[in-house]
Structures are given as C-alpha cells and as structure tokens.
Amino acid sequence: MPESIPTSSSSTSLQKELSSPFQVSSFLAQAQLTPVWRERLDRFTKPKVLISAFLATSAFYCFIIGRDRYTAVSEFVIQQAMPLEGSSSSVLAGSAAAPQVLTSLVDGQYLQVYLESSEVKSRLFPDGKKLEQDYRIKFPDLRTGLPANSSAPDQLEFYRKQLSAAPQPLSGSVVLTTSGFTPEQAFNLNNALLKQSRRFVNEVNQSINADQNQFARKEVQIAELNLKASTRKLELFREKHGNLSVETEQATTSSFISGLESQLVELKVEEAALRRQYRDPNAPEVAFVADQVKELEFQIRQERERSVSKDGRDLNTLVLEEAELISDVEFATANLQSARLAADNSRRESQRQLKFVVVLSQPQLPVAPDQNWRWQAFLASIGIIVVAWGVGGFLLNAMRKS
C-alpha cells in the first residue's frame, strides 16, 4: 500500500518549528541525547563496573581516608600462690600442669567478661563528655570515632571495640590488646585495664577467702560459747549436790550397801549357827545376833531408799542428769576442736588459693600506626563481594531453573 502523504497542515507546522537553523540543531541533539546516556548508564550498571567501583571506594577509604589506629599489647596470667595438689606450677611440666592451666583459663574468661562490662567503663571513663572529646570524629574520616551527645549504650559499645581480652587455651594466659587514635590512648588504656585486672582478681579472691575465714571464726566463737554454757550447767549441777560426782557417789553408795549386805550374810550365818547351838531361841547370845541382823537389814533398806527415792537423793535420776550434762560438755569440746581445726584449714587453704596477676609482657608505647585493620577491612570488603556474587549466582540459577 503506498505511503500516506502528509497533509498540508502537518507539513506547514513542521516547517514552522524547524524554520531556524538553531532550532534544527537543538532538535537533533535531543534526539541523540537519550541513547547516549542510556548507553553510559548500561555501561556503569554492569557487574564488573559496580564491583570495581565498590573495591576502589573501599580501598580509598581503608588506605587513604581512614584514621590511623595504634595498638598496645600485653600478656598476663592469673596464677595461684601455691599450685594445686598433685600439679606443678610451671607450664613446662606437661600434663601435670593441666589443672592449673584450666583454672587460669576459666579465670581469664571471667576476667574477659569483667573488663568489657559497664562497671569498668565507668571506672575508666566516669565523664562521658570527656570520652566523646578524646575519641571524637575528625575530618575526613567521618565514620570512625564517637559522635557527640551519644547515649550510654553507644559509649559502652564503642568502649568494647577499643579492647580485646583473649584467653589462650594452651597456656592459660590472657592477651590484652587495646587500640586508640593516638599512641598514648592505646598505651594508657592497656595499663588502666591491667590495674583493673589486678583489682578484680584481688578483690574477688580475697573477699571469698575473707568470707570463708570469717565464717570459720564465727563457728569457733559459737563452739566456745556452747562449751562454756555446757560447762557452767555441769558446775551448777555439782555445786547444788555438794560438788561431788554423782556417778562416783552412786558407786560409793553401791559399794557401801554391798559391804553391809556382806556383813548381813555373815551375821545370818552366825545367827543360824547359834540357833542350832542353843535350844532356847530367846537366849541372850541368839537375841544379840538377831538384833544385829534386824538393825543391819533396816540400815540397808534405809540406804537403798535414800539413794533411789525422790524424797532422798535419787542417785539414779541424778546420774542420768549428770551423764547428759557430761555428754553435752564432751560434745561441745569435740565441736570446738573441729571448729578450730576447720578454721585453721580454712586459713591455710585461703593462703594457698590466693591468686595474683602475673604480667608476662608489659605494654609498650606504639611508635607506628597499626596497618592490620586497613588490610582486614579491605579483605572484608572482598569477602562481601565474593559472598554476594555466590549467593546472587545461586539465586539466579534457581530462578532460571524454576
């Protein structure tokens, strides 16, 4: 079909729009502008270009813009005053030193948590404004530093980033690393944390030992008071009954009654012999011996009633009471001896278990910036690219297969 010929009105309007040379050139430029920018945009949105731009920006920040960081390192170990039984105090002793290494490792883990706590941060930096001033953000690195008017959690998080306490599993020592924007900041922070480590170990260890010793001393005091009370009760009981041992008196009374009974037996034998000898039962000789037998029986009966009746001395009851009081005194005495022995053992054990922070390597004032963080940050950006590339490729393949 032949092409349609434009009408006279449309051709007339187009000729009016393109009447001048300037308008013609402007129209052509606008017609060519969109494809050029689109081509450039497509060129910049290619994955290789984006990755190169990201790595270039990361390298520019890490090696040019990023602020210098200085690092101070020290190493110490938490050591007992005396080694555990059956172990050696030297780390060169092999397997024999394993209990000591494990103990130091556990103490180092506790100390790691303590050094990163808000309590230590408040001790070292009681004034939050001064912390913000010392670690403020400086141009051109606007990412590193503590911003003004920061909150307490932000300050604590920033403080934790400035230190690293790493317990070593093989030796049991703790490697303390601190960083700062100046050599003095890193060095002073490391020394301050060493002082806090000594204070923590001394306070916790000595407070536990002090509590144990105080408890042992209180037990000794209680045992002494119990012994004094038991002894006083026994003394009052004996004073009430003539300062004599009731048990001894009972034995004496029993022996006396036994003697009287022996005499009674002899007199009865004599009386029987006399009755066989004399026909008259009322003979003076027989009556004399019979009267002695009756009198002796009456005396024995009276002694028995006096020793066991409540109206008398009631030696049986008194013996039980005295035996109970003596048992209380013996128990209090044994308890006091045990308490004293436990207190002495607690004192020796507390001395043996005293712990100290032994510094193996003192921190040194940094003389040059630490470059490790720059390479670590740059390698981390490369790792991000690798992970993103792998995950993105996996997702694209999954989407294509689906």
Side-chain angles (χ1 to χ4, degrees), residues 241-261:
H241 298 88
N243 288 324
L244 295 176
S245 172
V246 180
E247 185 177 0
T248 303
E249 187 174 356
Q250 185 189 37
T252 303
T253 302
S254 299
S255 178
F256 177 68
I257 293 175
S258 297
L260 293 179
E261 290 177 345

CSV table of all heavy atoms in Angstrom, one decimal, residues 241-261:
chain,number,residue,atom,x,y,z
A,241,HIS,N,24.7,-30.2,144.4
A,241,HIS,CA,24.7,-31.6,145.0
A,241,HIS,C,26.0,-31.8,145.7
A,241,HIS,O,26.5,-32.9,145.8
A,241,HIS,CB,24.4,-32.7,144.0
A,241,HIS,CG,23.0,-32.6,143.4
A,241,HIS,ND1,22.8,-31.8,142.3
A,241,HIS,CD2,21.8,-33.1,143.8
A,241,HIS,CE1,21.5,-31.9,141.9
A,241,HIS,NE2,20.9,-32.6,142.9
A,242,GLY,N,26.6,-30.8,146.2
A,242,GLY,CA,27.8,-30.9,147.1
A,242,GLY,C,29.1,-31.0,146.3
A,242,GLY,O,30.1,-31.6,146.9
A,243,ASN,N,29.2,-30.5,145.1
A,243,ASN,CA,30.5,-30.5,144.3
A,243,ASN,C,31.1,-31.9,144.2
A,243,ASN,O,32.3,-32.1,144.2
A,243,ASN,CB,31.5,-29.6,145.0
A,243,ASN,CG,31.1,-28.2,144.8
A,243,ASN,OD1,30.6,-27.8,143.8
A,243,ASN,ND2,31.4,-27.4,145.8
A,244,LEU,N,30.2,-32.9,144.2
A,244,LEU,CA,30.7,-34.3,144.0
A,244,LEU,C,30.1,-34.9,142.7
A,244,LEU,O,29.1,-34.5,142.2
A,244,LEU,CB,30.2,-35.2,145.2
A,244,LEU,CG,30.8,-34.8,146.6
A,244,LEU,CD1,30.1,-35.7,147.6
A,244,LEU,CD2,32.3,-35.0,146.6
A,245,SER,N,30.9,-35.9,142.3
A,245,SER,CA,30.4,-36.6,141.1
A,245,SER,C,29.3,-37.6,141.5
A,245,SER,O,29.5,-38.4,142.3
A,245,SER,CB,31.6,-37.3,140.4
A,245,SER,OG,31.1,-38.1,139.4
A,246,VAL,N,28.1,-37.4,140.9
A,246,VAL,CA,27.0,-38.2,141.3
A,246,VAL,C,27.3,-39.7,141.0
A,246,VAL,O,26.9,-40.6,141.7
A,246,VAL,CB,25.7,-37.7,140.6
A,246,VAL,CG1,24.5,-38.6,141.0
A,246,VAL,CG2,25.4,-36.3,141.0
A,247,GLU,N,27.9,-39.9,139.8
A,247,GLU,CA,28.3,-41.2,139.4
A,247,GLU,C,29.2,-41.9,140.4
A,247,GLU,O,29.1,-43.1,140.8
A,247,GLU,CB,28.9,-41.2,138.0
A,247,GLU,CG,29.1,-42.6,137.4
A,247,GLU,CD,29.7,-42.5,136.0
A,247,GLU,OE1,29.8,-41.4,135.5
A,247,GLU,OE2,29.9,-43.6,135.4
A,248,THR,N,30.2,-41.1,140.9
A,248,THR,CA,31.1,-41.7,141.9
A,248,THR,C,30.4,-41.9,143.2
A,248,THR,O,30.7,-42.9,143.9
A,248,THR,CB,32.3,-40.7,142.1
A,248,THR,OG1,32.9,-40.4,140.8
A,248,THR,CG2,33.3,-41.2,143.1
A,249,GLU,N,29.5,-41.0,143.5
A,249,GLU,CA,28.8,-41.2,144.8
A,249,GLU,C,27.9,-42.4,144.7
A,249,GLU,O,27.7,-43.1,145.7
A,249,GLU,CB,28.0,-39.9,145.1
A,249,GLU,CG,27.3,-40.0,146.5
A,249,GLU,CD,26.6,-38.6,146.8
A,249,GLU,OE1,26.8,-37.7,146.0
A,249,GLU,OE2,26.0,-38.6,147.9
A,250,GLN,N,27.3,-42.6,143.6
A,250,GLN,CA,26.4,-43.8,143.4
A,250,GLN,C,27.3,-45.0,143.5
A,250,GLN,O,26.8,-46.0,144.1
A,250,GLN,CB,25.7,-43.7,142.0
A,250,GLN,CG,24.7,-44.9,141.8
A,250,GLN,CD,24.2,-44.9,140.4
A,250,GLN,OE1,25.0,-44.6,139.5
A,250,GLN,NE2,23.0,-45.3,140.2
A,251,ALA,N,28.4,-45.0,142.9
A,251,ALA,CA,29.3,-46.2,143.0
A,251,ALA,C,29.7,-46.4,144.5
A,251,ALA,O,29.8,-47.6,144.9
A,251,ALA,CB,30.5,-46.0,142.1
A,252,THR,N,30.0,-45.3,145.2
A,252,THR,CA,30.4,-45.5,146.6
A,252,THR,C,29.2,-46.0,147.4
A,252,THR,O,29.4,-46.9,148.3
A,252,THR,CB,30.8,-44.1,147.1
A,252,THR,OG1,31.9,-43.6,146.3
A,252,THR,CG2,31.3,-44.2,148.6
A,253,THR,N,28.0,-45.5,147.2
A,253,THR,CA,26.8,-46.0,147.9
A,253,THR,C,26.6,-47.4,147.6
A,253,THR,O,26.3,-48.2,148.5
A,253,THR,CB,25.6,-45.1,147.5
A,253,THR,OG1,25.9,-43.7,147.8
A,253,THR,CG2,24.4,-45.6,148.3
A,254,SER,N,26.7,-47.8,146.4
A,254,SER,CA,26.5,-49.2,146.0
A,254,SER,C,27.6,-50.1,146.7
A,254,SER,O,27.2,-51.2,147.2
A,254,SER,CB,26.6,-49.4,144.5
A,254,SER,OG,25.6,-48.6,143.8
A,255,SER,N,28.8,-49.6,146.7
A,255,SER,CA,29.8,-50.4,147.4
A,255,SER,C,29.5,-50.5,148.9
A,255,SER,O,29.8,-51.6,149.5
A,255,SER,CB,31.2,-49.7,147.1
A,255,SER,OG,32.2,-50.4,147.8
A,256,PHE,N,29.0,-49.4,149.5
A,256,PHE,CA,28.7,-49.4,150.9
A,256,PHE,C,27.6,-50.4,151.2
A,256,PHE,O,27.6,-51.2,152.2
A,256,PHE,CB,28.3,-48.0,151.3
A,256,PHE,CG,27.9,-47.9,152.8
A,256,PHE,CD1,28.8,-48.1,153.8
A,256,PHE,CD2,26.6,-47.6,153.1
A,256,PHE,CE1,28.4,-48.0,155.1
A,256,PHE,CE2,26.2,-47.5,154.4
A,256,PHE,CZ,27.1,-47.7,155.4
A,257,ILE,N,26.5,-50.4,150.4
A,257,ILE,CA,25.4,-51.3,150.6
A,257,ILE,C,25.9,-52.7,150.4
A,257,ILE,O,25.5,-53.6,151.1
A,257,ILE,CB,24.3,-50.9,149.6
A,257,ILE,CG1,23.7,-49.6,150.0
A,257,ILE,CG2,23.2,-52.0,149.6
A,257,ILE,CD1,22.6,-49.0,149.0
A,258,SER,N,26.8,-52.9,149.4
A,258,SER,CA,27.3,-54.3,149.2
A,258,SER,C,28.1,-54.8,150.4
A,258,SER,O,28.0,-55.9,150.8
A,258,SER,CB,28.2,-54.3,147.9
A,258,SER,OG,27.4,-54.0,146.8
A,259,GLY,N,28.8,-53.8,151.0
A,259,GLY,CA,29.5,-54.2,152.2
A,259,GLY,C,28.6,-54.6,153.4
A,259,GLY,O,28.8,-55.5,154.1
A,260,LEU,N,27.5,-53.8,153.5
A,260,LEU,CA,26.6,-54.1,154.5
A,260,LEU,C,25.9,-55.4,154.3
A,260,LEU,O,25.6,-56.2,155.2
A,260,LEU,CB,25.5,-52.9,154.6
A,260,LEU,CG,26.0,-51.6,155.1
A,260,LEU,CD1,24.9,-50.6,155.1
A,260,LEU,CD2,26.6,-51.7,156.5
A,261,GLU,N,25.6,-55.7,153.0
A,261,GLU,CA,24.9,-56.9,152.7
A,261,GLU,C,25.9,-58.1,153.0
A,261,GLU,O,25.4,-59.2,153.4
A,261,GLU,CB,24.5,-57.0,151.2
A,261,GLU,CG,23.3,-56.0,151.0
A,261,GLU,CD,23.0,-56.0,149.5
A,261,GLU,OE1,23.8,-56.5,148.7
A,261,GLU,OE2,21.9,-55.5,149.1
